[in-house]
Amino acid sequence: MNRTITTRKLKTIEEMRLVQNLEKTVWGLEPIPVHQTYTAVNNGGLMLGAFDGEKIVGFSYGFTGFSNGKTYLCSHMLGIQPEYQLMGIGKKLKEEQRKFAMEMGYDLMTWTFDPLESRNAYLNLSKLNGICSTYLENWYGEMEDGLNKGLPSDRFKIEWWITSERVENNWKPLIDSYDRPFEVGKSELGNPILEWDELHPSTNCEGIEIPIPEHFQVIKKNEPQLALDWRLKIRKIFQTLFDAGYALVNVNRSTTGVHYYQVVKRDTIPLNISEKGEVK
């Protein structure tokens, strides 16, 4: 069925309640209190809704952040009604969020996502041209929703420099060949295994590709110990690479059940900012 999805800024108490109902549907958890979201969107925050006719089917929510003298929009939540996922609504909401954020005077947006969720990674890095050089270990502590329960809640922190050449001109690294220092095997159930002996990855390469499973939730459901193995190994790899000055810029997708993160040296990315202005 063809649907015309529209988006608009949300500001009223009644609209905040619409978002609450959608939160419950998407995550099955108690939603953010209306008094908090209403106060935030009237004091530098931003709530956007995606609608199929009069029905709300998606939303994005951000509030003002401040760190090291830099103000930015912290894009905290993005949720899509399950039957409306994979329709490009998330990207549409992000693009609208960028437009409004620039009008409000922001040049940076940040948010977090699970390093092992390849679909989110592709949207954030390859489509939106965000970058990441911050690894947050067990950031939210123990979580009880279906997507996160049972594993440390590690997160990547995305930086979306919304007025940069990277974003405005779709800048990509000009690297002929990325180094692939990690092998991937298969479990008895056919799920990918990251074969790595705990040695540090090389930090002298122009660009490096790091594998992640295409369908992490399948692994988590069927082989929870393997899911934990992926979590801990990816944590160590990226903590090492970020400490060495690398940043995530892209996802190289394949048809093998494994995708590859691409990292380059952060100082080669055209962000049009000074190091003093970065969010650490």
Side-chain angles (χ1 to χ4, degrees):
M1 180 187 299
N2 291 326
R3 294 184 172 98
T4 300
I5 304 298
T6 60
T7 60
R8 69 171 189 262
K9 187 186 291 190
L10 308 180
K11 294 205 73 169
T12 69
I13 289 287
E14 291 73 21
E15 289 171 330
M16 298 303 108
R17 292 195 178 105
L18 285 179
V19 171
Q20 277 196 319
N21 292 333
L22 187 53
E23 283 183 70
K24 293 177 183 177
T25 300
V26 173
W27 289 289
L29 298 174
E30 284 302 307
I32 301 174
V34 163
H35 64 77
Q36 200 282 337
T37 53
Y38 182 68
T39 301
V41 300
N42 283 282
N43 290 276
L46 181 61
M47 183 82 81
L48 297 177
F51 292 83
D52 182 0
E54 294 301 313
K55 176 185 178 183
I56 189 169
V57 299
F59 78 98
S60 65
Y61 170 54
F63 49 82
T64 303
F66 184 82
S67 179
N68 297 322
K70 176 69 178 177
T71 302
Y72 53 94
L73 184 67
C74 181
S75 181
H76 182 55
M77 301 180 79
L78 187 147
I80 310 295
Q81 190 99 359
E83 62 267 32
Y84 286 80
Q85 294 176 5
L86 300 178
M87 293 174 58
I89 297 174
K91 184 173 185 289
K92 185 179 180 74
L93 281 167
K94 280 295 181 187
E95 289 171 343
E96 286 294 294
Q97 198 176 35
R98 175 177 181 255
K99 181 186 76 173
F100 282 113
M102 288 193 294
E103 290 176 359
M104 296 165 73
Y106 294 109
D107 63 2
L108 171 65
M109 292 170 53
T110 71
W111 63 89
T112 64
F113 75 97
D114 189 323
L116 290 165
E117 293 292 347
S118 64
R119 193 170 74 191
N120 291 345
Y122 187 73
L123 170 64
N124 295 333
L125 298 166
S126 300
K127 288 189 174 183
L128 297 177
N129 291 314
I131 70 165
C132 174
S133 57
T134 303
Y135 195 98
L136 303 170
E137 186 174 323
N138 199 25
W139 183 240
Y140 296 113
E142 185 175 346
M143 302 179 73
E144 294 299 322
D145 64 290
L147 290 176
N148 296 288
K149 187 174 182 179
L151 285 178
S153 57
D154 290 16
R155 292 294 185 265
F156 280 148
K157 182 178 182 178
I158 284 285
E159 299 171 34
W160 200 25
W161 293 95
I162 57 179
T163 62
S164 69
E165 180 183 345
R166 159 81 171 158
V167 174
E168 290 191 338
N169 298 325
N170 194 32
W171 179 91
K172 304 293 184 187
L174 296 176
I175 296 177
D176 293 330
S177 179
Y178 286 81
D179 186 54
R180 284 191 177 183
F182 307 107
E183 298 292 331
V184 179
K186 285 191 175 181
S187 71
E188 292 183 0
L189 297 181
N191 290 313
I193 298 175
L194 181 57
E195 297 177 346
W196 178 49
D197 62 4
E198 296 296 327
L199 295 175
H200 291 306
S202 171
T203 55
N204 297 317
C205 305
E206 185 180 19
I208 304 172
E209 290 194 330
I210 301 94
I212 58 166
E214 180 180 5
H215 301 297
F216 181 63
Q217 289 299 322
V218 173
I219 298 175
K220 184 170 174 285
K221 178 181 178 181
N222 297 326
E223 296 188 80
Q225 192 58 41
L226 177 56
L228 179 60
D229 184 70
W230 270 103
R231 172 69 87 221
L232 298 180
K233 287 179 178 177
I234 287 295
R235 175 192 291 176
K236 182 62 175 178
I237 289 168
F238 277 101
Q239 287 176 335
T240 301
L241 291 174
F242 291 162
D243 285 347
Y246 285 93
L248 265 171
V249 292
N250 197 34
V251 176
N252 179 12
R253 296 194 295 182
S254 75
T255 59
T256 64
V258 177
H259 297 331
Y260 290 84
Y261 277 126
Q262 293 181 333
V263 300
V264 299
K265 288 293 187 177
R266 181 184 171 102
D267 60 13
T268 66
I269 305 169
L271 299 178
N272 305 335
I273 57 169
S274 67
E275 287 297 313
K276 185 177 180 181
E278 290 179 10
V279 175
K280 300 298 186 183

